Amino acid sequence: MVDLHRVDLTREQLDRIPDGERRLLVLVAHASNELNTLAKLFHFAAGSTADEGLTSQAETMQALVLARALTGKIYEFWQLLQNSFFGARLSREYEPLLDTESAASLDELKRYFGKENLVAIVRNKFAFHYSGDQIDAGYAALVDGDPLQIYLAKHNANTLFSFAETIAGRPMLEAIRPGDPTGAFESLVAETSRMVGCIGMVAAGLMVVCMQRNIGANLYELGATAVSVDGVPESQAVRIPYFIEIQDVGGDT
C-alpha cells in the first residue's frame, strides 16, 4: 500500500500566481511527471535484463531505448530551468527561499551541467538522432562474436533486429566508457538516477516557494487529505519483458 496526500487546487488560487511563476510551476510539475515515469520504466527494464542469450539481447536493447529517452528529458529539464527560472530571473528571488536540500540539489545540477557530462553526450549525439556517422562508427567497432542476428516473429512486437542495435548502440556505450559496455550501462543507471533525484528535490522546492509566495501556504496547509493506493507491487519485483504472448482476435496466441 502507498500512502498519499491529496491537495485540491482551485483556479482562483492559480490565478493569484503571476504568469511567469505559474508557467514555471506547471512546467516543473509536468516535467516531474515525465521524469518519474521514464525513470521507473528504465529502472524496471534495467532490472529485467537476463544474464545471457536472446532474452538478454532483447531486454538490454529495450533498457537502452528507455535510457536514451530518459537522458533526453533530464537534459530538457535543465533547459527548462535555463529558460523559465534563470533566464526569467526568478532564480534571484527563489534561490534564497529554497530549503537546504533543494538548494544543495540545485547546486549539484549546476555543477553537473557546467561541465561535460554523460546526460548531454547521450542526448546530443544519440537520443533523438538517426545518424549515418553513428552507424559507420558502430560498424567499424564490430568484433568477432558480436550479436548480428535477426529474429522474426508473427507479431511485429516480438521481432528483434539484434544486428542493428549492436551497430547503432555501440558508439553510445563507447562514448560513455570506451571498451567497457557493462561499465557504460552501469554509469547510465547511476548518473540518471542521481540526476532524477536532484531534479525531484529542486522541483519540490520550487513548488513550495511558489505556493508560499503567492498563496500563502505550503501544500500540506492547503487542506491535504490522506489517500491510500492498494495492491501496488514491490519495486524490485517489477519486470518489463521484451517478448510477450499476443492474443489474436480469433483466440490463438
Side-chain angles (χ1 to χ4, degrees):
M1 182 173 69
V2 173
D3 294 323
L4 306 171
H5 288 88
R6 171 176 167 170
V7 178
D8 293 311
L9 296 176
T10 67
R11 176 63 184 265
E12 187 274 331
Q13 288 172 326
L14 293 173
D15 283 343
R16 292 186 218 167
I17 305 173
D19 290 348
E21 293 183 63
R22 186 171 59 247
R23 187 179 303 117
L24 176 67
L25 174 70
V26 175
L27 283 172
V28 163
H30 171 59
S32 294
N33 289 337
E34 293 194 328
L35 283 164
N36 283 339
T37 299
L38 285 170
K40 283 187 286 188
L41 289 174
F42 178 43
H43 170 79
F44 299 149
S48 299
T49 56
D51 293 331
E52 59 185 16
L54 169 58
T55 301
S56 175
Q57 292 179 36
E59 293 179 349
T60 298
M61 178 277 296
Q62 180 172 254
L64 289 173
V65 170
L66 290 166
R68 290 192 288 268
L70 177 59
T71 56
K73 286 296 184 179
I74 292 171
Y75 184 91
E76 291 304 316
F77 185 88
W78 179 245
Q79 297 308 304
L80 182 166
L81 292 184
Q82 293 291 91
N83 295 326
S84 297
F85 184 59
F86 299 114
R89 299 187 178 182
L90 287 173
S91 56
R92 298 180 181 182
E93 302 172 44
Y94 271 56
E95 285 196 59
L97 302 175
L98 289 172
D99 63 86
T100 302
E101 287 183 291
S102 297
S105 294
L106 182 60
D107 286 341
E108 185 167 356
L109 287 177
K110 290 177 183 178
R111 288 192 298 271
Y112 186 80
F113 285 102
K115 62 183 187 300
E116 185 177 61
N117 58 80
L118 179 154
V119 166
I121 289 171
V122 173
R123 186 268 182 192
N124 291 331
K125 294 185 177 180
F126 306 104
F128 302 109
H129 304 88
Y130 294 118
S131 167
D133 291 341
Q134 173 187 339
I135 300 307
D136 292 344
Y139 190 71
L142 286 177
V143 297
D144 290 342
D146 279 340
L148 298 174
Q149 292 81 28
I150 295 175
Y151 298 96
L152 301 175
K154 177 181 179 181
H155 296 282
N156 189 57
N158 287 322
T159 291
L160 176 65
F161 301 108
S162 284
F163 80 98
E165 195 59 30
T166 297
I167 295 169
R170 183 66 51 80
M172 184 185 78
L173 297 175
E174 286 292 308
I176 296 171
R177 190 173 291 188
D180 184 7
T182 300
F185 186 82
E186 291 171 351
S187 293
L188 262 176
V189 174
E191 291 200 31
T192 55
S193 295
R194 182 161 60 91
M195 288 302 101
V196 169
C198 287
I199 288 170
M201 287 303 306
V202 170
L206 294 178
M207 285 189 273
V208 167
V209 172
C210 183
M211 293 294 180
Q212 289 176 334
R213 276 166 55 91
N214 298 292
I215 299 178
N218 65 40
L219 292 174
Y220 291 98
E221 293 170 342
L222 294 175
T225 56
V227 178
S228 296
V229 181
D230 295 322
V232 298
E234 180 69 33
S235 65
Q236 298 301 319
V238 178
R239 294 290 182 266
I240 303 179
Y242 181 78
F243 297 111
I244 53 176
E245 289 195 22
I246 298 173
Q247 190 76 21
D248 286 335
V249 175
D252 297 328
T253 57

